[in-house]
Amino acid sequence: MAREYQLFIGGSWKAGREIREIRSPADGKVVARSHMGGVEDMQAAVTAAAEAAPAMRELSSHERAKILGQ
C-alpha cells in the first residue's frame, strides 16, 4: 500500500482539498499519495510558521530536528 502524506499545519495533520497519486517513473506504480492544499491552507501554514518562529529560533538545530521528526 502506498504511503499517504497529509498537510502538517500548526502542529496538526490535516487532509487536503484533493489527493494526487505519485507514480514511479520506472514502472508507473503508485508509490505515494499526497494531499494538496488550497490558498487557505497556504495562508494558515504561513501564519503558523510566523507564530512559531520566535520559539523555534531559541532552540538548537538538534532540538528543532527532533520536533520535526528527523
Side-chain angles (χ1 to χ4, degrees), residues 17-33:
R17 302 178 72 142
E18 68 177 277
I19 299 173
R20 291 198 182 160
E21 292 182 338
I22 310 302
R23 296 183 175 272
S24 167
D27 60 14
K29 291 182 183 177
V30 175
V31 295
R33 290 181 176 78

Side-chain angles (χ1 to χ4, degrees), residues 4 6 8 11 15 19 28 32 34 43 45 50 56 59 61 63 67:
E4 190 164 310
Q6 291 187 329
F8 191 71
I19 299 173
S34 180
Q43 290 170 333
M56 294 295 278
L59 301 176
S61 59
E63 291 170 315
I67 289 169

Side-chain angles (χ1 to χ4, degrees), residues 8 13 62-70:
F8 191 71
W13 292 102
H62 294 289
E63 291 170 315
R64 289 192 303 269
K66 186 175 180 181
I67 289 169
L68 297 172
Q70 298 295 320

Side-chain angles (χ1 to χ4, degrees), residues 30-63:
V30 175
V31 295
R33 290 181 176 78
S34 180
H35 287 244
M36 307 303 290
V39 172
E40 299 84 12
D41 298 312
M42 182 271 308
Q43 290 170 333
V46 169
T47 298
E51 290 173 355
M56 294 295 278
R57 197 172 11 251
E58 298 297 320
L59 301 176
S60 72
S61 59
H62 294 289
E63 291 170 315

